[in-house]
Every structure is written in structure tokens, then in C-alpha cells.
Amino acid sequence: MDVVILMGAPGAGKGTQAMRLSEFASLPHVSTGDLFRDNLKRETKLGTEAKGYMESGKLVPDALVLDMLFDRVAKPDCAEGYILDGFPRTLPQAEALEKRLAEVPDASVQVLDIEVADEVIVERASGRLLCRSCDSIKHKTFSPPRAEGVCDACGGELYQREDDRPEVVSERLAVYHEQTAPLVGYYDERGLLARVDGGRSPDDVFASLRGLYRRRRGA
Ligand code: AP5
Ligand code: MG
């Protein structure tokens, strides 16, 4: 089982790259942020519990995240592996994943860290557009849709995320540096980490990620 973890600050390009890698590797893209947004949209109990944390840029408590994530990766489409985007984000989440994968005899883990300077993050978040129907990601300046407000992939409505307001982006960045960035060292110590310069074009970033993914598999 191949498990790829895409790490990086908010707006680093995890979602953008995870979708491409998912297609390339034929593994499902599992984004905890997308799963929470789906729960918010459907007004589930979990969505209601997560809402306040997400809108203020804080992390949702580990227990809620872990139950949701482990339910998702237990589905049959994840049997051969999956690409994680936005998980793990805290040390307890990383330890819980490690413990779970220790029970899977053929599990191989690769962590790809997309590095982007903080100044770039704010610019990316403030222009981001998301599709309400298929979660496609665009940007007002860097990857504009062909028709304004309309998803190129499925024709759905494009919207801006509530937590992409500048004050919330600053909080998300602070939370990232405090709680998530230490995981880079955690995975580096285990020999699982590779770094990629995320400040380049999406195509160049993907070429690096794809190369690292293939090299790891000896392909
Ligand atoms: P989540 O949805 O995971 O948000 P995030 O980590 O803050 O990351 P983003 O989705 O903002 O950025 P991204 O790296 O995916 O960038 P993207 O590809 O979209 O989490 C949201 C919230 O949910 C959290 O704050 C928390 O409350 C909760 N949550 C989720 N998981 C959790 C967990 N495990 N534990 C606790 N709480 C959790 O790109 C950004 C923009 O830049 C786009 O417009 C894109 O078009 C553009 N772009 C991308 N790449 C490039 C490039 N190379 N050049 C130019 N533009 C680019
Ligand atoms: Mg994302």
C-alpha cells in the first residue's frame, strides 16, 4: 500500500498537486479540508462541530479529524493506497497514522513537502477560487477559469473560501508554523521526507513531485 503525504503551508499548492498526482498514480486524493467542507455543506453534526474552528483558522480537534480520516481510508478505493492532503497536521495525528500503518504489512510512506515563502501564501489564498461541485482549484490571476465564475472541469459555480480572508490566512499560517511545521522534522528523522520548491509554476512543481514519486517506486 502506497501512502503519499503532501505537506505544506496553507496555499502551498497541496490540493492542486494532489489532484494531479492522484491521476498520475491512480490513487485517491484524500483531503481532510475537503472532507470537512463537504460536511459543512451537508450540515452534518461533524460539519457543525468543525465550522467555528475552520472559519477562525484554527485546527479542528484531533479526535474529530482522526475518526473522519480513518473512516475515509477504510473505504475500498483506498486499498492500494492514497494521497493525503492536509493530514497529518499535529504530532498526535502523525503518531496515530504511524500506528495504524504499522498494522499494514506492505505499507510504504512517502512525505513530499511543498515549500513556499509566507509572502506568496497570502497572494495565493486571496485569489483562490473553488468549485462547489467538484472541488477543482483555480486562481483569479495564476490560473483563471475560461469563463468567470464557472468551473472549467464541470461547469459548477466557483466560490471563494470563507477562511481565505486575509486575517484568517494570517492565523492559519501562524497555526501552521506552530503545530504543523514540526512534522517536517518528524518525517525527516524517519528518512521519509523529500522537499520540493513550491514557488515555481504548477507544472514545474508537479514535474518534481512526479519524479520523486516514481523514484521512490523504482519506476
Ligand atoms: P485545508 O483545506 O487543508 O486548507 P490548508 O492546509 O490551509 O491548505 P489550502 O487548501 O488553503 O491550500 P493548498 O495547499 O491546498 O493550496 P491550493 O492547491 O488550493 O484546511 C482548511 C481547514 O480545515 C483548516 O484550517 C482546519 O480548520 C481544518 N482542517 C483540515 N485538515 C485538518 C487536520 N488534519 N487537522 C485539523 N484541522 C484540519 O492552492 C492555493 C491557490 O494557489 C489556488 O488558487 C491555486 O490555483 C494557486 N496555486 C497553486 N499552486 C500554484 C503555483 N505553483 N503557482 C501559482 N499559483 C498556484
Ligand atoms: Mg487545499
Side-chain angles (χ1 to χ4, degrees), residues 28-162:
H29 169 202
V30 176
S31 154
T32 42
D34 285 348
L35 291 172
F36 280 126
R37 280 184 288 279
D38 179 54
N39 275 277
L40 272 178
K41 193 162 75 182
R42 292 187 288 115
E43 298 180 351
T44 64
K45 181 163 172 279
L46 179 60
T48 312
E49 285 168 338
K51 189 175 191 300
Y53 297 102
M54 294 178 76
E55 288 182 354
S56 59
K58 307 269 189 237
L59 294 183
V60 177
D62 289 336
L64 296 181
V65 181
L66 289 170
D67 278 354
M68 176 182 75
L69 190 269
F70 289 147
D71 269 3
R72 173 65 189 91
V73 299
K75 299 234 155 76
D77 65 328
C78 290
E80 300 294 314
Y82 42 90
I83 295 172
L84 289 172
D85 155 14
F87 180 93
R89 268 206 169 57
T90 62
L91 191 57
Q93 290 180 20
E95 288 168 347
L97 178 67
E98 190 170 86
K99 196 165 158 226
R100 186 182 170 103
L101 291 176
E103 291 158 14
V104 181
D106 65 339
S108 117
V109 179
Q110 180 176 33
V111 184
L112 302 171
D113 183 34
I114 307 177
E115 298 181 317
V116 175
D118 284 2
E119 308 80 75
V120 180
I121 296 294
V122 178
E123 207 183 356
R124 288 199 185 167
S126 63
R128 172 165 43 195
L129 300 167
L130 274 188
C131 175
R132 276 200 204 284
S133 307
C134 74
D135 295 324
S136 274
I137 306 166
K138 304 298 281 183
H139 191 282
K140 285 180 183 170
T141 316
F142 304 136
S143 60
R146 287 194 290 271
E148 200 182 319
V150 182
C151 174
D152 290 351
C154 77
E157 182 200 355
L158 296 176
Y159 76 103
Q160 287 203 268
R161 260 168 57 177
E162 183 65 28

Side-chain angles (χ1 to χ4, degrees), residues 175-193:
V175 166
Y176 169 78
H177 285 300
E178 196 187 309
Q179 301 194 51
T180 307
L183 296 185
V184 172
Y186 175 91
Y187 286 118
D188 202 13
E189 275 168 23
R190 285 159 175 71
L192 301 175
L193 186 85

